[in-house]
């Protein structure tokens, strides 16, 4: 969903105001699909991409030995992050550079097509990345997302037979590489119609409970990514049941204003307060990961259609290029600026290290210390210091 946005034309499917989501462009997705799982044995050999010179020699693929542990104690690692396949090399370099802070990296690698079909995006299952991260003590828990037609995912979730078949398919994915688990990022069920949402909500919770039990039986982690639960959003998620079954529940706390809506901040401290009031009441604190954005949107005033996606790095470079002053919005505590191009006025809202520093105190008030970043390679370098100091 992006979970999760993405590159220009995050990512994310057409989203609705107030709903966090990540959209992967349809054209990109069509070009991206690799061979269906399970991959033939010949395809599961060494990675086709050479490791950067700074990466230590990976362990032999398929080794039964545990990955070498980092010198950083696990309890000090509070950051997880998604790794976008469309900017994989850049994202991987960022992950290696900040491995000491990272608990888990979730490559955005797989897409569910049906109960029995999961496909890989370009670079999916790259053993150089898997082995390189695990050699640094970072867990590799790939994300499985979906972009199914309306009602298709709900039909799978409400059918015991299809749920069971889908769990079997996902177990094939997790066994295909030296993965530490799976991250399930299923968003098309979120706008389920009023008359059917209770059954879909319960079916999804049954699916997660069954999947997590199967993953735990083979010593793999079960991570679930969800949108925020507020007064007006998130009713499809049974946080209590999901939190009881999963090892981690990731809340995509971004896209308060999204590409298809009006200009405004991606998140605010007030919104975080509302999200965490509900989340901490229903999910154990040590299972919660609060999603942080490292991107923004560039809206063109008066023009219909989606806003342009910019990473935090791109937004800051654009601000300097157009000579706009750096300004933190006093209410949302996020940066924004305006500029004119080809006679059209633009509004840019994004999140950066200073904005995140203004939002983290809300997490601390609720006792939430773990975060998940959308996405590696989008962020300013200063963000890592902000997260470390927090």
């Amino acid at each position: 969903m992006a979970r999760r946005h993405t590159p220009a034309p995050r990512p994310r499917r057409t989203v609705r105001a107030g709903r966090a989501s990540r959209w992967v462009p349809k054209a990109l997705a069509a070009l991206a699909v690799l061979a269906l799982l399970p991959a033939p044995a010949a395809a599961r050999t060494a990675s086709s991409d050479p490791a950067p010179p700074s990466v230590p020699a990976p362990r032999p693929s398929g080794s039964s030995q545990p990955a070498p542990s980092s010198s950083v104690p696990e309890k000090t690692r509070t950051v997880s992050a998604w790794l976008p396949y469309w900017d994989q090399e850049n994202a991987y370099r960022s992950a290696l550079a900040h491995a000491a802070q990272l608990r888990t990296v979730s490559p955005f690698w797989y897409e569910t097509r049906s109960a029995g079909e999961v496909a890989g995006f370009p670079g999916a299952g790259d053993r150089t990345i898997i082995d390189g991260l695990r050699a640094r003590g970072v867990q590799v828990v790939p994300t499985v997302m979906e972009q199914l037609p309306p009602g298709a995912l709900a039909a799978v979730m409400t059918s015991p037979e299809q749920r069971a078949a889908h769990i079997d398919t996902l177990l094939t994915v997790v066994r295909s590489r030296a993965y530490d688990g799976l991250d399930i990022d299923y968003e098309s069920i979120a706008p389920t119609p009023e008359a059917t949402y209770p059954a879909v909500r319960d079916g999804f919770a049954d699916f997660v409970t069954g999947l997590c039990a199967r993953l735990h039986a083979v010593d793999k982690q079960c991570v679930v990514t969800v949108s925020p639960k507020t007064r007006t959003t998130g009713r499809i998620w049974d946080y209590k049941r999901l939190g009881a079954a999963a090892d981690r529940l990731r809340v995509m706390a971004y896209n308060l204003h999204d590409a298809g809506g009006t200009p405004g901040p991606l998140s605010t401290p007030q919104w975080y307060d509302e999200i965490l009031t509900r989340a901490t009441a229903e999910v154990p604190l040590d299972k919660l990961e609060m999603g942080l954005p490292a991107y923004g949107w560039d809206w063109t005033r008066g023009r219909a259609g989606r806003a342009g996606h910019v990473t935090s790095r791109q937004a800051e470079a654009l601000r300097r290029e157009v000579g706009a002053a750096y300004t933190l919005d006093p209410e949302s505590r996020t940066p924004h600026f305006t500029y004119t191009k080809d006679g059209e006025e633009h509004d840019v809202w994004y999140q950066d290290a200073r904005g995140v520093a203004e939002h983290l105190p809300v997490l601390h008030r609720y006792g939430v210390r773990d975060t998940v970043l959308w996405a590696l390679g989008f962020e300013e370098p200063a963000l890592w210091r902000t997260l470390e100091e927090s």
Side-chain angles (χ1 to χ4, degrees):
M1 42 186 85
R3 234 119 81 257
R4 20 153 216 108
H5 170 106
T6 39
R10 160 150 156 122
R12 313 341 126 148
R13 132 192 38 246
T14 303
V15 289
R16 304 182 178 187
R19 173 173 170 256
S21 180
R22 288 192 296 269
W23 166 80
V24 177
K26 291 287 186 181
L28 232 174
L31 292 172
V33 177
L34 295 179
L36 304 183
L37 294 170
R44 295 200 295 266
T45 56
S47 163
S48 59
D49 296 325
S54 61
V55 181
R59 295 178 300 115
S61 299
S63 170
S64 60
Q65 298 180 357
S69 60
S70 166
S71 60
V72 180
E74 171 67 20
K75 65 181 180 180
T76 68
R77 297 174 183 236
T78 62
V79 184
S80 295
W82 284 285
L83 185 151
Y85 69 84
W86 53 90
D87 193 21
Q88 192 148 288
E89 291 185 10
N90 179 46
Y92 180 46
R93 285 194 296 269
S94 178
L96 291 179
H98 304 288
Q101 287 178 256
L102 286 164
R103 174 197 297 108
T104 305
V105 165
S106 290
F108 216 70
W109 275 349
Y110 297 104
E111 178 185 27
T112 287
R113 298 291 192 78
S114 68
E117 182 181 351
V118 173
F121 290 116
D126 187 319
R127 294 184 189 275
T128 296
I129 291 177
I130 297 167
D131 291 343
L133 290 173
R134 297 187 81 230
R136 303 292 181 90
V138 179
Q139 300 163 353
V140 180
V141 178
T143 295
V144 184
M145 55 84 72
E146 52 77 34
Q147 299 182 99
L148 294 170
L153 181 59
V156 173
M157 294 298 115
T158 53
S159 164
E161 295 77 17
Q162 290 196 62
R163 285 199 305 265
H166 190 42
I167 290 172
D168 286 342
T169 303
L170 291 169
L171 264 291
T172 299
V173 175
V174 81
R175 289 174 174 141
S176 70
R177 298 289 191 275
Y179 293 141
D180 295 289
L182 291 178
D183 166 38
I184 303 301
D185 180 9
Y186 288 178
E187 300 180 35
S188 70
I189 62 171
T192 299
E194 179 72 30
T196 56
Y197 96 84
V200 177
R201 176 197 60 202
D202 295 344
F204 183 75
D206 289 341
F207 160 70
V208 167
T209 300
L211 174 63
C212 291
R214 291 283 301 278
L215 288 171
H216 292 157
V218 292
D219 198 27
K220 304 293 184 181
Q221 293 182 42
C222 184
V223 179
V224 181
T225 295
V226 298
S227 55
K229 204 171 180 181
T230 69
R231 292 187 302 273
T232 59
T233 65
R235 66 181 184 176
I236 199 68
W237 313 112
D238 187 334
Y239 271 21
K240 287 185 178 180
R241 289 190 62 193
L242 301 181
D247 297 292
R248 296 275 170 179
L249 192 71
R250 294 173 167 176
V251 182
M252 296 182 291
Y254 38 74
N255 271 6
L256 177 61
H257 290 79
D258 65 26
T262 58
L266 279 72
S267 58
T268 71
Q270 297 82 3
W271 191 49
Y272 277 14
D273 186 72
E274 184 179 6
I275 293 169
L276 289 172
T277 296
R278 287 166 171 76
T280 56
E282 299 182 17
V283 181
L285 288 177
D286 61 354
K287 292 189 175 187
L288 277 173
E289 288 188 345
M290 194 70 161
L292 302 178
Y295 68 96
W297 299 110
D298 182 340
W299 285 270
T300 303
R301 295 182 189 176
R303 182 190 294 182
R306 292 179 57 84
H309 174 264
V310 289
T311 68
S312 295
R313 289 174 181 252
Q314 291 169 338
E316 183 58 18
L318 176 60
R319 182 190 68 79
R320 293 174 183 274
E321 178 184 338
V322 300
Y326 182 89
T327 304
L328 277 182
D329 174 56
E331 182 176 355
S332 70
R333 310 306 296 167
T334 61
H336 69 104
F337 62 92
T338 62
Y339 70 98
T340 302
K341 181 178 180 181
D342 298 331
E344 294 182 306
E345 295 294 318
H346 290 249
D347 292 286
V348 179
W349 291 78
Y350 61 108
Q351 185 59 298
D352 67 353
R354 289 178 60 181
V356 167
E358 295 282 346
H359 289 197
L360 287 175
V362 182
L363 278 65
H364 298 161
R365 286 203 304 272
Y366 285 89
V368 175
R369 64 194 297 267
D370 299 320
T371 58
V372 54
L373 181 68
W374 182 261
L376 285 164
F378 292 6
E379 80 285 359
E380 294 180 292
L383 178 62
W384 296 99
R385 176 64 63 84
T386 296
L387 295 173
E388 181 181 27
E389 293 176 347
S390 71

